[in-house]
Amino acid sequence: MKKLRTQVGIVGAGPAGLMLSHLLHLEGIESIVIEAQGRSHVEGRVRAGVLEQGTVDLMRRTGLGDRLDRESLLHNGVYLSFEGNRHHLDFRELTGKGITVYAQHEVIKDLVRARLDAGGQILFDTTELAISGVESSPLIRFHRDGEEYEVRCDFIGGCDGFHGVCRPSIPEGVLRVFERTYPFAWLGILAEAAPSSEELIYTYTDRGFALFSMRSPTVTRLYLQCSPNEDIRNWPDDRIWKELFLAGDAAHIVPPTGAKGMNLAIADVTVLSRAISDFYRSSREDLLAAYSSTCLRRLWKVQRFSWWMTAMLHRWDSQNEFDHRRQLAELDYLTSSRAAMTSLAENYVGLPLE
Ligand SMILES: Cc1cc2nc3c(=O)[nH]c(=O)nc-3n(C[C@H](O)[C@H](O)[C@H](O)COP(=O)(O)OP(=O)(O)OC[C@H]3O[C@@H](n4cnc5c(N)ncnc54)[C@H](O)[C@@H]3O)c2cc1C
């Protein structure tokens, strides 16, 4: 068995795990990142693409800004489209901030490169990962290249996503789950086509939500509301193109519920890396103890915003004519009131970290 020792063992090489490792390194703290997938898989996984200003600022501040500045697209707002009309929300004018389009897998490539250039350890292609000693002596065990590994550490960063092994390892009674299951899902389409609109278009139609977005000047990302049990065979290319045409220029990039995911992951590890480095510098544990409550305060506001956008922009099975009219009135109010627009813009470009 290979036995390794590090200060922070990090499970998962997504945005949270890699950024945590990067931030800790800048504070002089060692970590090892352990990832189930291969490097090419994580660097090619198409997911998010909308970065809040705070995420961009953090990347620049920590030496990850070069390619981002060269290749990203800067947007000053989004369009909301309903009842045949398109309304522009100018975030720059409303909040002084914009949003940046830069694909999540490009962020991942920059982070992997930065970690490897700095001599950091990322162990890809691992299997059978298990963690133990969470409350006493943290230990991560896994297999790689037919060999068994053991990593002893002071802390484990559980950054292995929603379906990973870390979440269920939180001792009973400590983990509290608050859940809302939405009665729809999203068909995501990645098209090798230049975006037909300069900015994102969120659309509410009779057949539901559609979002038009992009990942680069040559790649368009679209989302369409569909059923959670949707069979992909129900969506031949013809139907997709028909839907997209009928929705105007609109399609959907990221479900509003998910559009904040990567930014939240980055926000979390910013708080966590500060707390861990404070612990090593001054043996103070108060920031670590406050980690959850610090993040949860912001998280719930982001959760509320995602829920509100989703509720406003989707067709619900249970929806009656009253609900439909109310949704249209909400959109009408939103696009005609500066106060309402400012509230959306403030949340969309990203709430302050603390
Ligand atoms: C289609 C789609 C579109 C999205 N669009 C947006 C968007 O526009 N904006 C936005 O901000 N967010 C968006 N999101 C959400 C965003 O992608 C996630 O919130 C983000 O990836 C979360 O980062 P993470 O590091 O916490 O988890 P992940 O990116 O899921 O990373 C977890 C890592 O852990 C690894 N792992 C899992 N289990 C194990 C194990 N047992 N052992 C070792 N490794 C393991 C996984 O392979 C993975 O690499 C989108 C998500 C999807 C699916």
Side-chain angles (χ1 to χ4, degrees):
M1 182 192 283
K2 268 201 170 161
K3 293 190 177 188
L4 306 173
R5 157 87 205 153
T6 190
Q7 288 173 292
V8 185
I10 299 173
V11 186
L18 290 168
M19 182 59 92
L20 178 59
S21 178
H22 178 61
L23 295 177
L24 291 175
H25 164 70
L26 297 178
E27 295 288 338
I29 298 164
E30 263 183 32
S31 65
I32 298 178
V33 180
I34 304 147
E35 166 61 48
Q37 303 291 342
R39 179 173 174 182
S40 58
H41 180 94
V42 299
E43 289 187 338
R45 196 164 42 193
V46 175
R47 286 190 162 180
V50 176
L51 305 186
E52 293 175 356
Q53 188 66 52
T55 304
V56 170
D57 292 344
L58 178 74
M59 288 182 67
R60 286 193 185 128
R61 225 176 30 242
T62 61
L64 299 168
D66 283 2
R67 214 160 59 87
L68 172 80
D69 284 335
R70 275 200 315 275
E71 297 177 17
S72 64
L73 306 170
L74 194 61
H75 287 187
N76 288 321
V78 294
Y79 291 97
L80 274 183
S81 171
F82 57 97
E83 290 206 305
N85 292 313
R86 195 186 288 178
H87 308 260
H88 189 239
L89 270 67
D90 190 332
F91 296 162
R92 178 83 46 200
E93 203 255 321
L94 292 162
T95 68
K97 294 179 190 166
I99 49 163
T100 299
V101 172
Y102 189 61
Q104 178 169 323
H105 63 277
E106 303 297 348
V107 176
I108 296 288
K109 281 186 209 164
D110 295 342
L111 280 164
V112 169
R113 168 81 8 246
R115 288 308 298 121
L116 296 181
D117 284 352
Q121 284 197 73
I122 310 172
L123 304 178
F124 290 106
D125 295 305
T126 63
T127 58
E128 297 163 67
L129 185 138
I131 62 176
S132 60
V134 184
E135 286 174 298
S136 49
S137 162
L139 185 67
I140 308 173
R141 285 209 174 88
F142 54 93
H143 287 79
R144 187 170 184 249
D145 289 335
E147 222 175 326
E148 204 178 335
Y149 279 68
E150 185 182 283
V151 177
R152 282 208 174 273
C153 41
D154 301 330
F155 300 100
I156 295 176
C159 302
D160 51 350
F162 191 73
H163 301 288
V165 298
C166 291
R167 242 167 84 86
S169 305
I170 302 270
E172 199 150 325
V174 176
L175 182 71
R176 288 175 71 200
V177 178
F178 302 86
E179 193 172 40
R180 165 175 280 269
T181 306
Y182 291 94
F184 27 72
W186 298 269
L187 177 74
I189 301 149
L190 197 64
E192 263 191 352
S196 56
S197 159
E198 276 187 15
E199 294 182 338
L200 275 64
I201 308 169
Y202 286 85
T203 303
Y204 174 68
T205 78
D206 283 350
R207 288 176 319 292
F209 175 67
L211 176 58
F212 166 89
S213 181
M214 66 215 61
R215 290 292 178 262
S216 74
T218 55
V219 176
T220 297
R221 181 67 163 157
L222 312 154
Y223 283 82
L224 295 169
Q225 177 178 343
C226 64
S227 127
N229 312 315
E230 194 75 53
D231 184 339
I232 190 64
R233 281 173 300 195
N234 293 336
W235 288 88
D237 284 4
D238 278 358
R239 181 171 173 202
I240 290 172
W241 287 115
K242 189 160 163 261
E243 279 295 317
L244 295 176
F245 178 71
L246 286 175
D249 291 332
H252 149 359
I253 160 192
V254 170
T257 41
K260 291 285 173 198
M262 171 161 57
N263 297 297
L264 276 171
I266 301 281
D268 285 351
V269 298
T270 306
V271 176
L272 183 58
S273 65
R274 263 188 229 154
I276 292 178
S277 80
D278 208 49
F279 171 82
Y280 282 116
R281 235 192 341 252
S282 56
S283 301
R284 276 179 50 190
E285 293 188 23
D286 50 330
L287 289 187
L288 281 174
Y291 168 66
S292 293
S293 55
T294 307
C295 292
L296 280 172
R297 222 175 135 213
R298 184 175 186 273
L299 170 96
W300 273 110
K301 286 185 216 138
V302 177
Q303 193 64 261
R304 181 210 67 84
F305 175 68
S306 298
W307 161 83
W308 172 74
M309 285 281 280
T310 306
M312 179 173 67
L313 286 163
H314 289 71
R315 290 294 286 197
W316 300 73
D317 280 349
S318 56
Q319 191 177 33
N320 57 28
E321 195 50 27
F322 177 90
D323 295 321
H324 177 54
R325 298 283 160 169
R326 186 186 45 72
Q327 269 173 288
L328 289 175
E330 180 144 22
L331 286 160
D332 192 11
Y333 169 63
L334 179 61
T335 48
S336 55
S337 154
R338 186 177 171 88
M341 279 191 267
T342 307
S343 170
L344 184 149
E346 183 180 47
N347 282 277
Y348 201 94
V349 299
L351 295 174
L353 207 52
E354 277 157 281

